[in-house]
Amino acid sequence: MKPSYPSTATPAFLGTQNPLASSMPVFLEPRFAAMTPAELLTHFRLRAVTNYFPLKPGKAKHVASAQPILNNEFTLNNETHRLGDEFNWLHNPSPDLEWLIMLHKFYYSRDLALAYDYSGDEGYADKWVALVGSWIEQVPDGFVNSQVTGRRLQQWLLAYHYFVPGRHCFKITADFLLTLLSSIQSQALFLSNNLTPEGNHRTIELSAIFTVAVLFPELSASASLLAFAQRELLDNLRHDFLADGVQNELSTDYHHTVLKNFLRVRELADLNGLALPEAFDTVIRKALEFSIYAHKPDGWLPAINDGDINSYLSLLRKAQRYYPGDALSYVVSQGAQGKPSTQRSRLFADSGYCILRSDWAERPYADGRYLFFDCSDLGFGSHGHYDLLSFEMAAYGRSLIVDPGRYTYHEHDSDGVNWRHAFKGTAAHNTIMVDGKDQMAYRCHEPVGPQPRAAVLSFESNQGFDFVHGCALSPQYEVQHQRSIFFAEAEYWIISDLLLASDAHRYEQFFHLAPEAQGQIEWLEAEQGHGIQAPDLLIAQARRAEVATSLEPGWVSPEYGVKHPAPVLSFSQQCKGSGWFQTVLYPYKNIAPALHVEGISVTSLGQSVPATQALALSILIQSETTTYHDCFFVAHQPGLTEYHFADVICQAQVLFIRRDAEGGILSVRAYAAEWLEIGGRKLLDSIGKPVCLNYAQGQLQIDAIDGSVPA
């Protein structure tokens, strides 16, 4: 049965004499300190609960989850340990410190509270009281670190609202309630004096202080804690997010951890009639805007840097109440409500994150093509991976090229593998490794010494294409890595990698496929080029004798402590100096087209142009109903030179031409172009004024890219 709700009369058992009644609890405001413990218990039971988040009802699944906890059996981070009846909170039965941290965060108290709500069984309350009571007896404030304290307070306060206000739970005694309240204030005061300097931990800690102060005005320190939290939260908010709205640790998962805690502050402030400054809402709106773009069409987030593969659409749904907007509604509803963002693709310039995607109006919504390009530095703190210029790609409702995730935070190698390094290192990402080295000297936690740096050199999102060009430098080697990504016809991607060096190096390019591709890969025929056909994805390069291809075993970790085998496609070459790769990524739905990729020679002033200066590809795509002859050109060197290839003469950084089976031109896309001739026909003469050119369906559109008037 459900827990009963008390009448306004004081329950008879509260009249029992309590030994604490003769002493004044100094942690309470004078009016409440003057009450007897029994009166205090009655006060907190009968107090209104409209100033806290709406409580979800318990379900049968919570009873099932809570059962092992009754026997001190805890499954944390996918690792299970059974502790003794009188276990020591300071002892870690796991080699992973994160397990002990999770034990002290008390996330499992939610299952106990909801199991009680569903069943009315006092045994769940009894267990929560026993766990909290023994923790208070054994553990000093701040054990492990401050953010653990913040998380624990959040979980205790959630459980408290299931066991105390409006409830008649016999296991919550006056003695326990006073002990609990005293500990809550003590931990909040500890946090106020021991805040983490920066990052998501500080946000969690401040959110916990704010929550304690708002929910318990009866505590003697509440007023000062509230003033402290309000002051520090706004300052922390400004430091936590970059100007483009991305959280400064540059983790997609921790971005939403921070966003969730600030949204909790916003909701509690609203429930309790507290005003927050306009600057607070301005930053949150920017953070939500990044979240809108970062979510893939299937509703999931890529696990960039440390974090799990998660969906935060439910969080965005809650945010709609305070930050309504058409774009937010559109993403939350998967295109069923609201209106899409006005920009199809987006560069977040301060972080270096770039999302290239197909039209928001794609139907089904999940079929949209999506690529997340990581042209960022490592970020603040210890959560950055050595993944500069990596990316994740999804299409037709599936993640096809993925970031493998984090798996673990510790280096225990009982199986001979340092899994922290294995998932954090450069080889675990969709980028290029030089001489078998990480982009940064490996450390389990925060980096020490010079760090690799990345920068976006150019970005263009136009009606018929997207183009982004970035570069990365590592202190581990002399090589400069430049990567450009061209999104053609909102259909497929062409990735051009240039590696500039004067000494000999080995270059390895990695593409990490989803676990669903395991055992489902076929090599392309020789005439198609180097590459593979995987489920819903073709990967191809023009065939080159100096480039070796291989399929290697890899892993993908959807959540902490869990990893699944997944294949990794590798292209590698040994060069005396500079090197390059050019790769076509063609996603498809159900039936793969025939794809053929060949290199095209490029000349300038009658001389062959080296690949480190410019590259051109011929891409033949044949499906059951259509045939496309695509041609792609990219110039790597700054400054415009006249280039010749096939029947084309151009001065441009990027050029894409699509022809039909008969050779008729269907579309032309050009970026930073000043001159263009195709088949002897001049399409553009804009010398000295680089422009974007789009031609499709008989319509020609020319747009300036430098503020000048188009020719």
Side-chain angles (χ1 to χ4, degrees):
M1 60 178 290
K2 284 275 190 178
S4 60
Y5 289 77
S7 65
T8 54
T10 302
F13 80 95
L14 290 180
T16 305
Q17 182 64 37
N18 190 294
L20 289 177
S22 60
S23 61
M24 177 181 289
V26 295
F27 58 87
L28 295 173
E29 284 287 296
R31 180 166 71 91
F32 299 98
M35 293 181 180
T36 67
E39 290 170 338
L40 281 169
L41 180 59
T42 301
H43 165 76
F44 283 103
R45 278 182 169 169
L46 300 181
R47 198 179 66 162
V49 292
T50 54
N51 65 334
Y52 188 65
F53 310 111
L55 299 178
K56 295 181 178 179
K59 298 179 180 179
K61 67 177 183 179
H62 298 117
V63 172
S65 298
Q67 282 302 309
I69 301 170
L70 298 179
N71 298 314
N72 288 340
E73 183 178 300
F74 299 93
T75 299
L76 308 171
N77 285 341
N78 293 291
E79 182 182 335
T80 302
H81 292 280
R82 174 112 181 239
L83 307 182
D85 292 339
E86 303 290 335
F87 68 86
N88 180 357
W89 281 94
L90 305 183
H91 171 70
N92 187 6
S94 168
D96 187 354
L97 177 62
E98 286 297 314
W99 196 93
L100 186 64
I101 286 174
M102 292 295 288
L103 182 70
H104 282 254
K105 287 181 178 179
F106 269 79
Y107 286 132
Y108 45 85
S109 64
R110 180 178 184 272
D111 286 321
L112 291 171
L114 286 162
Y116 170 72
D117 181 71
Y118 178 79
S119 68
D121 187 341
E122 294 267 337
Y124 300 111
D126 189 41
K127 188 61 182 180
W128 184 72
V129 168
L131 289 170
V132 171
S134 65
W135 187 94
I136 293 172
E137 287 180 1
Q138 294 184 35
V139 185
D141 290 341
F143 179 69
V144 183
N145 58 41
S146 295
Q147 66 96 8
V148 177
T149 301
R151 294 281 200 183
R152 180 172 53 254
L153 284 174
Q154 290 176 342
Q155 297 305 310
W156 281 11
L157 295 180
L158 173 65
Y160 162 89
H161 280 86
Y162 280 96
F163 291 127
V164 180
R167 305 297 173 104
H168 194 166
C169 179
F170 289 98
K171 298 300 181 180
I172 305 296
T173 65
D175 285 358
F176 172 75
L177 181 63
L178 290 172
T179 301
L180 175 68
L181 293 175
S182 176
S183 179
I184 286 173
Q185 174 160 287
S186 177
Q187 292 180 64
L189 287 169
F190 173 87
L191 285 181
S192 68
N193 292 308
N194 296 275
L195 287 173
T196 302
E198 190 175 351
N200 77 86
H201 289 184
R202 185 181 181 92
T203 301
I204 293 165
E205 294 152 17
L206 286 169
S207 174
I209 295 171
F210 181 82
T211 305
V212 169
V214 167
L215 295 180
F216 294 106
E218 298 91 346
L219 297 177
S220 58
S222 283
S224 60
L225 286 172
L226 181 59
F228 172 82
Q230 287 178 300
R231 180 179 68 252
E232 293 295 328
L233 274 166
L234 180 59
D235 183 65
N236 188 66
L237 181 70
R238 288 168 170 158
H239 286 88
D240 228 356
F241 291 99
L242 304 175
D244 60 8
V246 179
Q247 201 265 343
N248 66 5
E249 289 166 280
L250 301 180
S251 156
T252 46
D253 202 15
Y254 282 109
H255 173 93
H256 289 85
T257 295
V258 169
L259 180 58
K260 177 169 62 177
N261 277 272
F262 279 118
L263 287 173
R264 287 172 63 91
V265 169
R266 157 51 66 204
E267 186 173 1
L268 276 178
D270 186 66
L271 289 169
N272 290 273
L274 296 174
L276 294 176
E278 185 177 340
F280 184 99
D281 293 330
T282 299
V283 177
I284 295 301
R285 286 191 179 93
K286 286 187 176 181
L288 287 168
E289 192 168 0
F290 171 69
S291 184
I292 286 171
Y293 279 90
H295 275 85
K296 293 181 281 190
D298 65 359
W300 292 86
L301 271 177
I304 305 299
N305 291 315
D306 278 340
D308 295 337
I309 298 173
N310 274 320
S311 172
Y312 286 95
L313 293 185
S314 60
L315 179 67
L316 301 189
R317 195 171 293 113
K318 292 179 181 178
Q320 283 183 287
R321 177 178 176 183
Y322 303 99
Y323 305 98
D326 282 339
L328 186 59
S329 178
Y330 193 82
V331 168
V332 167
S333 67
Q334 300 284 271
Q337 300 173 5
K339 297 178 182 178
S341 297
T342 55
Q343 292 177 266
R344 177 172 51 81
S345 297
R346 176 77 182 271
L347 168 66
F348 292 85
D350 298 277
S351 60
Y353 284 157
C354 181
I355 292 93
L356 311 179
R357 58 164 297 145
S358 58
D359 198 302
W360 290 94
E362 185 86 32
R363 291 295 181 270
Y365 180 88
D367 277 3
R369 272 75 67 208
Y370 165 105
L371 186 144
F372 187 114
F373 182 42
D374 181 356
C375 194
S376 69
D377 295 336
L378 296 184
F380 168 79
S382 61
H383 292 301
H385 289 192
Y386 313 140
D387 62 349
L388 278 61
L389 306 190
S390 184
F391 69 95
E392 177 155 335
M393 189 264 278
Y396 304 112
R398 299 180 66 170
S399 295
L400 301 175
I401 296 177
V402 300
D403 187 300
R406 65 176 165 184
Y407 182 59
T408 185
Y409 283 149
H410 83 109
E411 297 182 296
H412 182 66
D413 59 351
S414 60
D415 55 0
V417 178
N418 181 340
W419 288 107
R420 176 60 172 160
H421 189 187
F423 277 83
K424 191 174 185 177
T426 300
H429 298 88
N430 303 303
T431 186
I432 290 178
M433 174 177 271
V434 178
D435 298 330
K437 296 179 180 179
D438 289 321
Q439 295 169 343
M440 172 83 197
Y442 167 74
R443 281 180 60 86
C444 180
H445 301 296
E446 293 189 17
V448 174
Q451 297 184 24
R453 298 297 179 190
V456 176
L457 302 178
S458 56
F459 169 77
E460 178 68 27
S461 181
N462 216 287
Q463 57 182 302
F465 71 91
D466 293 330
F467 176 73
V468 60
H469 182 202
C471 70
L473 289 169
S474 166
Q476 297 292 94
Y477 40 75
E478 56 140 0
V479 180
Q480 182 192 71
H481 179 195
Q482 292 190 23
R483 168 167 278 184
S484 68
I485 302 177
F486 184 83
F487 188 26
E489 305 296 310
E491 184 179 323
Y492 70 100
W493 291 271
I494 303 167
I495 298 182
S496 303
D497 287 298
L498 178 64
L499 300 133
L500 298 173
S502 55
D503 298 331
H505 296 282
R506 176 174 172 78
Y507 304 118
E508 295 174 89
Q509 181 190 46
F510 301 106
F511 297 97
H512 290 258
L513 306 179
E516 292 78 11
Q518 187 79 357
Q520 303 295 317
I521 293 175
E522 297 179 2
W523 291 102
L524 297 181
E525 298 294 334
E527 66 272 14
Q528 294 180 272
H530 282 301
I532 61 168
Q533 177 179 328
D536 298 320
L537 178 64
L538 298 168
I539 303 178
Q541 295 185 1
R543 187 166 288 274
R544 297 161 57 202
E546 66 270 26
V547 174
T549 58
S550 64
L551 275 176
E552 303 170 4
W555 300 92
V556 171
S557 174
E559 58 182 301
Y560 194 100
V562 175
K563 64 183 189 297
H564 302 301
V568 182
L569 175 64
S570 171
F571 295 92
S572 61
Q573 58 181 306
Q574 182 73 38
C575 297
K576 294 181 179 180
S578 299
W580 60 276
F581 299 96
Q582 198 166 39
T583 313
V584 174
L585 306 176
Y586 196 97
Y588 63 89
K589 188 173 184 178
N590 300 327
I591 301 175
L595 181 68
H596 295 75
V597 178
E598 295 182 8
I600 304 175
S601 62
V602 181
T603 63
S604 180
L605 301 176
Q607 301 292 319
S608 293
V609 172
T612 52
Q613 182 177 339
L615 285 167
L617 278 181
S618 169
I619 305 162
L620 175 63
I621 306 162
Q622 294 174 301
S623 70
E624 293 180 341
T625 57
T626 58
T627 296
Y628 294 133
H629 292 270
D630 293 347
C631 178
F632 175 73
F633 166 85
V634 60
H636 304 303
Q637 300 292 339
L640 291 171
T641 301
E642 184 176 280
Y643 293 103
H644 296 238
F645 55 93
D647 63 345
V648 177
I649 302 173
C650 74
Q651 290 185 25
Q653 184 177 356
V654 178
L655 176 64
F656 176 86
I657 304 169
R658 168 161 283 186
R659 292 179 167 97
D660 60 22
E662 288 72 38
I665 294 177
L666 299 175
S667 63
V668 180
R669 318 292 183 184
Y671 172 70
E674 297 187 15
W675 181 273
L676 177 60
E677 290 183 31
I678 302 176
R681 179 187 175 190
K682 183 173 70 174
L683 272 72
L684 176 68
D685 181 356
S686 181
I687 298 299
K689 296 179 180 179
V691 299
C692 280
L693 179 149
N694 277 286
Y695 169 80
Q697 298 179 337
Q699 300 295 315
L700 179 64
Q701 176 72 36
I702 298 175
D703 300 301
I705 61 174
D706 62 355
S708 62
V709 178

